[in-house]
């Protein structure tokens, strides 16, 4: 009841603007990412190796650019202006993909624009954290509400993306994404606040984030958790159809079910973190994730796979809900870098997942991928024990 009352309080216009920008940027990304491999294969007509190369280059360049901009945004400049430029880069990215089919142009200029556009999300969450701290708002709850908007966008975006691409063509789909980024730019320019950068301790600025054992342990734990999640998303459709002999539509049903029910767990995580702290909540999440992968290894019926999505939703919902603010609490005064570290742990996990899932499935089988994921989830649980509670 207290949670419902907290959510029902009338938000201010600026908070609503943060919610709107988060949802619309999530929609813009959800319109592009699910259909990217199909676009490259059908429209650009490249072989599978070049499709995989695009994903790898995009992930690596995205990590480098977002980390550099994260450090820069904490030292100087207006974070709002950086978000605005990232949204405009998203507009340019969408128009490039709508009108051009040259692979090397897309993998060079396109990847650069995509890396800039993707930086909008961590910078938006960093600005939201600074706004929440300045106005004495519940930062954990506010961050969880914003993360829930991203999940909601991913419930709506992928079906819409496929409907536009199949029914009207990829150019229409990318133009829709361009409109979403343009709308975000307008909202950012008109309603998001400009918050002056606080003076930063020179000694703190020189210290590498990786030298902090708490930050290092949390980054390792977060990377392992997102590696497990990405391995599941990569492997699950093939495991269901090729090894279990179940229908292809079950894969979409499992993804949609998990995405829908993880939203309340994001909100619950933001609410209860203030009572018990982030470390116990994270341990609950990883414990649920470990149980989920053990279930995937031992169970195979359609009913069981659907029931296991509750554990998956607890795992992803809590990690996505409080993971970012955990980094921010461990790195006071470096909100941009902290938020980018969380985002880059997701990207690093995706890179690792692609290599591990493909290699294990090649030499073993798809079921073996879940056995490896179980081991990685256990390693993530160990890493979480080394992170202090905040």
């Amino acid at each position: 009841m207290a949670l419902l009352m907290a959510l029902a309080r009338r938000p201010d216009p600026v908070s609503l603007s943060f919610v709107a920008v988060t949802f619309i940027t999530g929609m813009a990304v959800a319109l592009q990412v699910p259909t990217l491999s199909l676009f490259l294969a059908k429209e650009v007509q490249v072989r599978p190796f070049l499709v995989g190369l695009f994903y790898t280059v995009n992930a690596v360049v995205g990590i480098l650019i977002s980390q550099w901009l994260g450090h820069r945004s904490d030292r100087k400049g207006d974070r709002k202006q950086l978000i605005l430029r990232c949204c405009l880069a998203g507009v340019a990215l969408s128009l490039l993909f709508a009108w051009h089919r040259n692979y090397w142009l897309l993998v060079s200029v396109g990847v650069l624009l995509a890396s800039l556009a993707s930086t909008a999300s961590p910078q938006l969450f960093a600005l939201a954290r600074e706004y929440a701290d300045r106005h004495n708002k519940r930062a954990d709850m506010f961050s969880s509400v914003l993360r829930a908007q991203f999940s909601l966008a991913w419930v709506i975006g992928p079906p819409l993306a496929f409907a536009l691409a199949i029914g009207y063509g990829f150019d229409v789909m990318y133009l829709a994404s361009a409109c979403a980024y343009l709308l975000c730019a307008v909202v950012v320019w008109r309603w998001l606040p400009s918050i002056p950068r606080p003076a930063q301790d020179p000694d703190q600025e020189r210290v590498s984030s990786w030298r902090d054992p708490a930050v290092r342990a949390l980054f390792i734990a977060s990377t392992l958790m997102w590696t497990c999640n990405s391995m599941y998303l990569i492997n699950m459709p093939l495991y269901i159809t090729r090894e279990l002999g179940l229908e292809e539509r079950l894969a979409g049903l499992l993804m949609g079910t998990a995405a829908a029910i993880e939203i309340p767990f994001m909100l619950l995580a933001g609410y209860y973190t203030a009572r018990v702290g982030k470390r116990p909540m994270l341990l609950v999440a990883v414990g649920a994730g470990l149980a989920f992968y053990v279930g995937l290894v031992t169970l195979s019926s359609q009913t069981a796979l659907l029931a296991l999505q509750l554990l998956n939703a607890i795992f992803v919902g809590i990690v996505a809900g409080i993971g970012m603010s955990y980094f921010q609490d461990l790195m006071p005064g470096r909100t941009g870098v902290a938020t980018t570290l969380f985002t880059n742990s997701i990207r690093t996990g995706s890179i690792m997942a692609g290599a591990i899932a493909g290699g294990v499935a090649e030499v073993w089988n798809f079921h073996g991928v879940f056995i490896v994921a179980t081991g990685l989830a256990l390693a993530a649980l160990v890493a979480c024990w080394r992170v202090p509670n905040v």
Side-chain angles (χ1 to χ4, degrees), residues 33 35 81 105 176 236 277 316 342 354:
V33 173
T35 59
Q81 295 300 317
L105 179 65
M236 182 264 292
V316 177
F342 174 75

Side-chain angles (χ1 to χ4, degrees), residues 147 222 226 319-320 323-324 327 338-346:
R147 287 292 304 180
S222 182
W226 290 115
V319 173
M324 185 179 296
F327 277 99
T339 307
T340 303
L341 270 178
F342 174 75
T343 304
N344 284 345
S345 72
I346 301 176

Side-chain angles (χ1 to χ4, degrees), residues 247-271:
E247 296 181 4
E248 293 180 356
R249 66 178 182 85
L250 178 60
L253 180 60
L254 294 177
M255 289 185 182
T257 300
I261 62 179
E262 74 186 28
I263 294 175
F265 287 106
M266 285 184 185
L267 301 176
L268 287 168
Y271 180 76

Side-chain angles (χ1 to χ4, degrees), residues 118-129:
S118 65
T119 305
S121 179
Q123 290 299 319
L124 178 64
F125 279 95
L127 183 62
R129 176 58 185 261

Side-chain angles (χ1 to χ4, degrees), residues 59-136:
V60 172
V61 174
I63 290 173
L64 295 175
I65 289 182
S66 63
Q67 197 67 36
W68 174 69
L69 288 176
H71 281 281
R72 188 178 185 280
S73 67
D74 284 342
R75 293 196 305 269
K76 59 183 178 179
D78 187 344
R79 207 182 296 278
K80 171 182 174 177
Q81 295 300 317
L82 177 57
I83 297 171
L84 179 60
R85 294 187 182 100
C86 290
C87 291
L88 295 177
V91 175
L93 166 71
S94 302
L95 295 178
L96 177 68
F97 273 70
W99 294 333
H100 292 276
R101 298 294 184 268
N102 182 285
Y103 176 81
W104 299 110
L105 179 65
L106 298 178
V107 82
S108 54
V109 178
V111 163
L112 178 61
L113 291 173
S115 300
L116 293 172
S118 65
T119 305
S121 179
Q123 290 299 319
L124 178 64
F125 279 95
L127 183 62
R129 176 58 185 261
E130 292 169 349
Y131 173 76
D133 290 342
R134 175 166 291 207
H135 293 82
N136 297 318

